[in-house]
Amino acid sequence: MSIETIMRTSAVIPVLVIDDAATARPLAEALVAGGLKVLEVTLRTPAALDAIREMKKVPGAIVGAGTVVNTDQFAQVMDAGGEFIVSPGLTDRLGQVIVESGVPFLPGIANAGDIMRGYDLGLRHFKFFPAETSGGLKALKALAAPFYEAKFCPTGGITPATALDWLGFDPVLCVGGSWVTPKGASMAEVEALAREAAGMRG
């Protein structure tokens, strides 16, 4: 599965911070039931790798890892069965290793230099991060003009109120967001939020 196929699967990719791996499978079931099949588990907690393993058990779920910042983490995610990699930025070393592996990769970029580094590696799909504090949609439109082949998944500060504006810009294939899994929400509430988010592309 290519990174473009993954990005086009759901209008919103939930960015998940999971503290307890026991909650991972029910969470994945609720998100998939709501129509969000692509799940990004961030490597920000000790439970993240086990959460990936649990979520992989859910039929229809496409489970990857976010906040991957070095090659050791990449290897750990592969051992856990991760299907794609998202990083907050892009280094030549990490980029080369992932590109050579053939694993779908969505590196973070915030400026023209980042995108050019990605182009040198043969990449054309990027996470615009942190989206709102890097100048928002206006900045992405300016960046996308010279890099007309590039496709983006803006992440960082995006809300249900702003997601449609981002998704209305042609080079944006999806957005990343944490609002679909608010703290303390029931699985029924998560499923309802996921259904709402999945319908954003129309």
Side-chain angles (χ1 to χ4, degrees):
M1 190 179 287
S2 70
I3 192 64
E4 174 141 355
T5 301
I6 290 169
M7 291 169 76
R8 289 187 182 278
T9 299
S10 302
V12 179
I13 297 179
V15 178
L16 308 170
V17 180
I18 297 174
D19 295 308
D20 180 2
T23 65
R25 189 168 178 176
L27 186 62
E29 287 169 346
L31 290 164
V32 171
L36 298 183
K37 297 178 181 178
V38 179
L39 311 176
E40 178 191 333
V41 179
T42 60
L43 300 189
R44 298 182 195 178
T45 68
L49 294 168
D50 285 335
I52 290 171
R53 292 184 181 96
E54 286 301 308
M55 288 184 159
K56 286 273 295 174
K57 297 173 184 175
V58 177
I62 302 164
V63 187
T67 325
V68 176
V69 298
N70 58 51
T71 54
D72 289 344
Q73 287 182 329
F74 171 57
Q76 291 169 346
V77 171
M78 291 299 95
D79 287 344
E83 294 170 81
F84 64 92
I85 298 291
V86 182
S87 62
L90 176 61
T91 63
D92 292 332
R93 184 174 178 222
L94 180 63
Q96 281 168 349
V97 169
I98 299 175
V99 168
E100 285 168 12
S101 75
V103 174
F105 180 36
L106 192 65
I109 60 90
N111 56 50
D114 292 342
I115 298 174
M116 288 170 69
R117 193 177 305 119
Y119 267 46
D120 283 348
L121 291 163
L123 300 167
R124 295 295 182 271
H125 297 80
F126 304 98
K127 173 172 89 161
F128 180 49
F129 176 81
E132 289 295 349
T133 56
S134 296
L137 183 54
K138 190 176 178 182
L140 183 60
K141 284 181 175 179
L143 279 172
F147 301 105
Y148 58 89
E149 297 170 297
K151 304 295 181 189
F152 300 95
C153 174
T155 305
I158 294 171
T159 67
T162 61
L164 284 173
D165 292 335
W166 288 97
L167 290 165
F169 181 44
D170 199 47
V172 171
L173 302 186
C174 58
V175 298
S178 55
W179 78 83
V180 289
T181 56
K183 221 169 180 60
S186 69
M187 292 306 108
E189 288 167 332
V190 169
E191 184 178 335
L193 287 167
R195 187 165 285 113
E196 211 171 85
M200 283 183 170
R201 188 172 278 140

